[in-house]
Amino acid sequence: MQSFRTELEDLHNPVVEKEIIDLDKKIRLFQEGKIDETKFKSLRLARGVYGQRQPGVQMVRIKLPFGKINFKQIVRIADLSDEYASKKLHFTTRQDVQIHYVSLDKTPELWVKLAEDDITLREACGNTVRNVTASPNAGIDKDEPFDISPYAQAMFEFFVRNPICQDMGRKFKIAFSSSEKDTAFTFIHDLGFIPKVKFENGQEIRGFKVMLGGGLGAQPLMAHVIEEFLPEDQMIPLTESVIRVFDRYGERNNRNKARFKYLLQKLGLEDVLKLVAEERIANKSTSFHVNTKVFSEVQLSDVKIAPSVEISDKDLYEKWIKSNVYQQKQEDFYCVYVKVLTGDMPSEQARAFANALEGYVADDIRITQNQGLLLKYVRKENLPYVFEKLSELGLATPGFDSITDITTCPGTDTCNLGISNSTEMAKVLEDVLYKEYPELIYNHELKIKISGCMNSCGQHGLAEIGFHGSSIKVAGKIVPAVQVMLGGGSLGDGLGRASERVIKVPTKRAPQVLRALLNDFGANAQEEETFKAYYDRNGKDYFYQLLKPIADQSTLTEDEFIDWGQYEDFKTEIGVGECAGVVVDLVATLLYESEEKLVWAHESFDAKSWADSIYHSYNIYIGTAKALLLSKSITSNTQAGIIKEFDANFVASGEIVLPEGYANFADLVLQINKNQPTEEFAKSYLDIATLFYSEAKKIYAPQSIL
């Protein structure tokens, strides 16, 4: 423990030090039975610590804003995966890195060592603003109006640790695309931004097209366009207002209806935008100017000339050049995409990758949405060297982001919600493609994506050909199956479409499905016709009839009762998912949380962070009111509902007497969106919140408040 504390002090970052000490303290209190399990789960999720399918170990998710990582950080994560985890890095579709099989006791120590290289776990999971994603080629994209990387960085910095998004009803996802090609899939995000420019009086004005309310999961919905051109300085104020509305009005009990897209369904887009407008007065700033020079420009002299090498496989090199290498908008530089099978890279391979390439490309690698890596600023004369080093490591496979580059979640390897083994199926399908359809390594229009369940972590819902794990029952036995999804994908400039469920087939027949689809498309598609257009022209029933013979259950063999990569008959073993966090329903725990927020509100006030103090005070009102309502067995599924119920059950009855001047609890609490975040308002709002909490404790006085 002494060594852990010493390393913590060496960080010289009091904010991170405090967070890690708090995590360590809460772990011990939980193990001593002094913190409720559901409360503790919520706390650790917000710190990137996620329960695995395997009992007693954790998945740790490392949050990397828009997938930006350097060689030193790759080596650090690889070393720590050797020391604390399973000696493997997993790259995710949200541009994070995950490591698995970590002991809960070791997570504070692990976080300390990650923080030494400026890596955080903060809000990588839980009911928070998740990792801000972006087009990996931002900054080098020939089609981009401007580099969105600084804007994504500013978004990350503004909302990490921000009081308005620490305990929402569910997660909130934000994406930036570099151009109208929309390679970050803004249409499936809660908020998506596409850069735009216009000219006024000869001056270039930057802004964004804004998408709101998209999402995949079991019920995919495409985002709405709410701004064709939002000035750049309004990007963060708008986002803050949207998140405030989500926090107050979003569902909190039924996790299946708790995403922002369902709030839009419930209230309607027009009413939600009115609520967003009402929140603008309470924002930290009415205009936010992003430092666009936060990242330094790379020069040719910054990249070393690599040693000359002889190409070992000229045919493979040519395929790799055509499918994985692109010229940047910066003259004399190329970018190289690295295909990583199922997003999994052994730590030994990761270290070798860093040691071989550092100095010969920019020290700015990006994790891609299809679980690969992007190397930037490669000299033309360095391409043979880069190829040879990647080839030695098994990382020079051609076909990046083509149909042969299948995206997949971990499935039943580690996930509680996984139904079937998606990673092994992806490997089998890729093998079919490379052996039987080698010409498709150049097809970047047709994508295959796989998820182990319906929740779309593998993004099957936006693929031209998607599969998600399922099961069917035949003769009293459970057979692993996949739901075949067709016709999804990006349409560009914020538009997209979800794939449609067509048919369910035994999972071992997925290769037959793939062959049937590709053979039919190859034989019957019109010249230059895309798969989406081909699907539309023929219709869903055409593909159902095409695949129906493959789904025939009367011809099942014994092998088909066993999932990919397994040796025993299939069983559905679905645990409790943690992606959405938890609902805490203990009165004493809620009051304890309010007491913590009271401390945070005073700390923020003393630091002159008026907006933060105000929102902590707001949460004191909400949390305390929820606790008192719960003591009478009254529940509500939104914060707005809590305010209404508290007026009806405590204020109207006279059990709680409000300060003079306030007719009801709603008038008191909702001052928050009627006042600017000034020192005067912050003080009065906090003073009343303090009194309110004190009165609540008198009404509900459990023998022990944690």
Side-chain angles (χ1 to χ4, degrees):
M1 180 60 70
Q2 184 60 40
S3 173
F4 162 61
R5 294 288 180 174
T6 302
E7 287 184 69
L8 190 59
E9 291 170 5
D10 290 342
L11 287 179
H12 304 296
N13 186 327
V15 175
V16 176
E17 288 176 28
K18 183 178 178 182
E19 289 176 343
I20 296 173
I21 289 171
D22 185 56
L23 177 61
D24 184 56
K25 175 185 174 183
K26 295 292 173 60
I27 287 172
R28 285 186 283 109
L29 289 173
F30 168 67
Q31 292 173 335
E32 293 167 6
K34 296 179 180 178
I35 293 183
D36 176 73
E37 182 177 4
T38 53
K39 167 59 184 169
F40 177 69
K41 186 182 292 185
S42 177
L43 182 143
R44 65 170 166 77
L45 282 168
R47 286 147 183 81
V49 182
Y50 190 106
Q52 276 188 211
R53 190 181 191 88
Q54 296 78 9
V57 290
Q58 316 294 317
M59 176 268 281
V60 171
R61 182 176 292 151
I62 297 163
K63 191 173 186 177
L64 299 164
F66 53 99
K68 181 178 171 62
I69 190 170
N70 59 41
F71 286 112
K72 187 178 180 182
Q73 290 171 330
I74 288 175
V75 172
R76 168 71 69 172
I77 296 170
D79 289 346
L80 293 176
S81 184
D82 280 353
E83 184 177 356
Y84 295 98
S86 60
K87 300 184 178 182
K88 184 174 72 174
L89 285 64
H90 177 71
F91 304 129
T92 79
T93 56
R94 294 207 60 77
Q95 300 176 288
D96 296 304
V97 174
Q98 293 175 176
I99 58 177
H100 295 84
Y101 297 92
V102 179
S103 167
L104 180 62
D105 290 338
K106 294 293 185 179
T107 52
E109 187 178 324
L110 171 62
W111 192 353
V112 171
K113 294 182 178 180
L114 287 168
E116 290 172 7
D117 281 320
D118 197 27
I119 306 170
T120 188
L121 309 180
R122 181 76 197 212
E123 295 153 55
C125 308
N127 299 326
T128 60
V129 173
R130 296 292 185 86
N131 196 27
V132 176
T133 62
S135 298
N137 61 339
I140 63 172
D141 184 358
K142 289 182 177 182
D143 297 318
E144 66 184 15
F146 54 87
D147 183 6
I148 50 82
S149 303
Y151 298 87
Q153 178 70 24
M155 187 74 80
F156 158 73
E157 291 177 357
F158 189 87
F159 288 103
V160 70
R161 302 181 182 90
N162 193 313
I164 72 169
C165 53
Q166 295 306 296
D167 189 24
M168 298 183 292
R170 274 202 77 180
K171 56 194 172 185
F172 194 91
K173 296 181 177 180
I174 301 171
F176 289 81
S177 279
S178 60
S179 73
E180 291 183 1
K181 288 183 179 178
D182 201 6
T183 53
F185 312 121
T186 59
F187 58 93
I188 62 164
H189 285 78
D190 297 294
L191 268 175
F193 296 90
I194 301 171
K196 302 286 182 179
V197 293
K198 64 181 182 180
F199 293 87
E200 293 181 0
N201 301 320
Q203 295 291 315
E204 179 186 279
I205 309 297
R206 291 182 172 186
F208 294 93
K209 183 175 185 177
V210 184
M211 314 300 299
L212 178 71
L216 288 178
Q219 299 179 52
L221 292 172
M222 301 299 100
H224 302 265
V225 179
I226 60 167
E227 295 280 357
E228 288 290 350
F229 188 90
L230 179 76
E232 61 175 331
D233 69 306
Q234 293 302 303
M235 173 194 76
I236 282 179
L238 171 67
T239 304
E240 182 178 359
S241 296
V242 169
I243 290 174
R244 284 172 173 268
V245 169
F246 182 46
D247 194 36
R248 187 166 305 132
Y249 296 95
E251 170 69 40
R252 287 177 175 268
N253 290 347
N254 181 357
R255 65 182 296 275
N256 294 322
K257 294 291 183 181
R259 290 295 301 274
F260 190 85
K261 61 185 179 181
Y262 296 116
L263 180 61
L264 281 179
Q265 278 190 331
K266 178 182 177 182
L267 300 182
L269 179 61
E270 185 177 347
D271 283 351
V272 166
L273 292 179
K274 285 179 182 177
L275 292 172
V276 169
E278 290 174 3
E279 292 294 324
R280 295 296 290 269
I281 192 172
N283 284 346
K284 281 188 177 182
S285 58
T286 56
S287 175
F288 189 99
H289 294 278
V290 172
N291 176 13
T292 57
K293 305 297 183 184
V294 67
F295 302 120
S296 58
E297 294 272 348
V298 176
Q299 305 298 324
L300 199 62
S301 58
D302 296 331
V303 182
K304 296 187 296 185
I305 298 176
S308 60
V309 296
E310 187 164 337
I311 303 298
S312 57
D313 187 333
K314 292 183 180 179
D315 180 59
L316 183 64
Y317 179 69
E318 289 302 317
K319 291 177 179 177
W320 178 79
I321 286 287
K322 289 180 182 178
S323 63
N324 292 33
V325 179
Y326 297 87
Q327 190 165 10
Q328 297 183 186
K329 72 177 184 181
Q330 291 83 3
E331 191 176 356
D332 301 319
F333 283 119
Y334 291 79
C335 64
V336 172
Y337 288 96
V338 181
K339 185 177 179 302
V340 180
L341 181 62
T342 67
D344 293 321
M345 182 177 282
S347 53
E348 183 178 357
Q349 187 184 46
R351 273 190 297 273
F353 168 83
N355 293 334
L357 298 177
E358 187 171 10
Y360 301 112
V361 303
D363 195 18
D364 177 11
I365 304 102
R366 302 289 171 94
I367 298 168
T368 66
Q369 278 85 348
N370 63 336
Q371 303 170 290
L373 297 170
L374 170 62
L375 305 175
K376 300 163 64 179
Y377 292 92
V378 184
R379 292 172 177 263
K380 185 175 183 179
E381 58 266 39
N382 284 2
L383 287 171
Y385 174 85
V386 171
F387 168 77
E388 281 301 312
K389 292 301 177 182
L390 290 174
S391 185
E392 289 170 11
L393 295 169
L395 294 172
T397 307
F400 180 89
D401 201 34
S402 72
I403 186 176
T404 60
D405 190 2
I406 297 176
T407 304
T408 177
C409 69
T412 53
D413 287 349
T414 54
C415 179
N416 271 324
L417 292 176
I419 298 174
S420 65
N421 194 319
S422 50
T423 55
E424 289 301 315
M425 187 170 81
K427 293 173 185 177
V428 170
L429 295 184
E430 283 200 12
D431 190 56
V432 168
L433 290 165
Y434 279 107
K435 288 180 178 177
E436 301 177 27
Y437 305 90
E439 71 282 0
L440 293 182
I441 63 170
Y442 306 113
N443 186 327
H444 296 279
E445 300 297 323
L446 182 52
K447 306 291 171 57
I448 300 174
K449 298 178 184 291
I450 306 173
S451 300
C453 72
M454 67 184 69
N455 285 316
S456 211
C457 294
Q459 298 179 337
H460 66 266
L462 61 80
E464 283 80 6
I465 300 176
F467 300 94
H468 79 68
S470 187
S471 63
I472 53 179
K473 196 169 185 178
V474 180
K477 294 180 70 175
I478 303 297
V479 179
V482 287
Q483 176 70 59
V484 181
M485 314 277 290
L486 300 176
S490 176
L491 301 174
D493 203 23
L495 300 178
R497 47 192 271 178
S499 53
E500 290 189 310
R501 293 179 177 85
V502 174
I503 198 168
K504 192 184 290 188
V505 303
T507 190
K508 288 290 182 70
R509 298 182 184 181
Q512 294 173 245
V513 170
L514 183 58
R515 291 185 184 101
L517 291 171
L518 293 180
N519 292 342
D520 181 77
F521 179 57
N524 301 311
Q526 297 172 359
E527 188 175 356
E528 303 298 322
E529 188 173 32
T530 66
F531 186 84
K532 285 192 284 287
Y534 184 65
Y535 179 79
D536 290 343
R537 179 162 64 86
N538 287 285
K540 177 178 175 179
D541 186 63
Y542 172 87
F543 290 92
Y544 174 79
Q545 297 299 332
L546 175 69
L547 301 177
K548 187 177 179 181
I550 301 174
D552 182 5
Q553 298 174 9
S554 67
T555 58
L556 282 170
T557 63
E558 287 300 315
D559 178 63
E560 290 178 307
F561 288 88
I562 301 172
D563 199 6
W564 293 111
Q566 303 301 309
Y567 303 97
E568 298 178 352
D569 280 1
F570 178 73
K571 293 185 293 184
T572 51
E573 297 178 340
I574 304 172
V576 178
E578 297 190 342
C579 286
V582 293
V583 177
V584 180
D585 281 335
L586 298 178
V587 178
T589 301
L590 287 168
L591 289 174
Y592 169 59
E593 286 181 341
S594 292
E595 191 167 309
E596 277 192 319
K597 286 163 186 169
L598 194 56
V599 173
W600 299 340
H602 281 286
E603 288 177 346
S604 295
F605 186 86
D606 292 342
K608 302 186 185 304
S609 297
W610 316 130
D612 287 357
S613 178
I614 290 165
Y615 214 85
H616 284 311
S617 296
Y618 167 76
N619 280 323
I620 295 165
Y621 290 116
I622 296 298
T624 304
K626 181 178 180 180
L628 292 184
L629 287 168
L630 198 61
S631 71
K632 292 186 175 183
S633 300
I634 301 167
T635 61
S636 180
N637 62 340
T638 66
Q639 289 183 346
I642 288 169
I643 294 169
K644 183 178 179 180
E645 291 291 346
F646 193 81
D647 266 326
N649 291 279
F650 281 90
V651 176
S653 66
E655 198 167 346
I656 282 282
V657 178
L658 299 175
E660 187 176 348
Y662 296 103
N664 51 51
F665 189 57
D667 286 348
L668 169 60
V669 177
L670 295 180
Q671 291 180 88
I672 190 171
N673 62 6
K674 296 176 178 62
N675 289 273
Q676 294 179 347
T678 62
E679 178 180 4
E680 181 183 4
F681 175 61
K683 185 177 188 307
S684 65
Y685 201 57
L686 175 55
D687 286 346
I688 299 173
T690 304
L691 290 172
F692 178 67
Y693 173 72
S694 298
E695 289 301 310
K697 282 181 68 177
K698 293 176 186 176
I699 292 173
Y700 181 84
Q703 293 181 352
S704 174
I705 299 274
L706 294 175

